[in-house]
Amino acid sequence: MTQLILIRPDIFLKNSFLKYLGWMLSDSSPLVREKAVAGLLAPFKVNEEEISKKSNRRKSGSPRIDTGLMVSIAEKFARRLADCTMDVDLTVQERAMELLLAFARESLLDNVEDEELWKDINSRALAKDTTPIVRRDSLLFVIEQLEAFDNSNIRSEKDAVERINALASWTTHCIATNNTPLNKIPFERVGYVISSLRVCPEHASLVSNYSAILQALQDCGNTSASKNKRRLEVIQRHVLIEMLVASVEQEMSSLDQSSLEGVVDESMTAALRANEEHHKDSKKKRKTEGSQEKLTTAILAMLP
């Protein structure tokens, strides 16, 4: 079916044929589910390759297959694809998230108003029970919805601050609810956002833009608001601090020991070492909190 769609999209890229791939998303076999998602994803892959080839030849790129014709299928099977991002098979999760991202980029889900569906897809960006690929594509799916990312490039420091604030605000609402005690909020998952941004060329610069993160932190909580909003601002400040910590920590981890010499002071190195020891023994809670505090203090002291 997939090959027929690619060879003659004018005939087979229609609901009457695509629905069979949609039905296969519910098959009991993970392999069948994976192939079904891959079949629906194939037209987007072909277009991506075609545009890339023309771009390399400095020619204007245009899609070969009109994927806009898949809008009805996208809307009809969006719920099932969202469930596939939580599939027992990790490969199915990755393919499903990649397809949903393709749908979002082509505006094929704009008429889907199921809030729970959007929440389920977005939450995969912070999920522990999945792969970095799913978290990355889910975060890109979230970014497609954030107004701060409407422009393709960061034109000023203000743009960077707005993007960081948008991500921090979304993360805050994702990990915290009105009834969640502060000590139960999984702030450690903020690191997933940084990890995902680092592997996205178009957004990686945000990770190392410490001045923008610090500015966002400074701006947060400067407004008088209701008790609930003030609570969210406190949580968002914590999220921004975690973003800063994770950014520096992951950057330092990517360097070898010789590269660290002359870049960070002894307190920073000691804090990083203490934090690494904490990750090796998560049962030592007091040591965990102490290491994290040392790391945060060292980072804030080091940055301008």
Side-chain angles (χ1 to χ4, degrees), residues 85-135:
T85 65
M86 296 173 272
D87 198 275
V88 294
D89 187 272
L90 294 177
T91 304
V92 174
Q93 289 189 27
E94 292 178 354
R95 297 290 182 272
M97 194 62 248
E98 185 179 5
L99 178 57
L100 285 166
L101 177 58
F103 283 166
R105 285 175 167 170
E106 295 291 330
S107 303
L108 302 185
L109 299 175
D110 286 0
N111 293 326
V112 177
E113 298 180 353
D114 186 340
E115 290 187 9
E116 284 301 313
L117 181 147
W118 288 92
K119 182 179 178 181
D120 287 345
I121 300 172
N122 292 344
S123 65
R124 301 306 286 163
L126 301 176
K128 296 174 65 176
D129 60 339
T130 191
T131 69
I133 293 175
V134 172
R135 286 193 288 266

Side-chain angles (χ1 to χ4, degrees), residues 198 249-256:
R198 281 175 60 87
E249 187 178 29
Q250 291 181 28
E251 181 64 24
M252 294 301 101
S253 297
S254 68
L255 302 174
D256 57 35

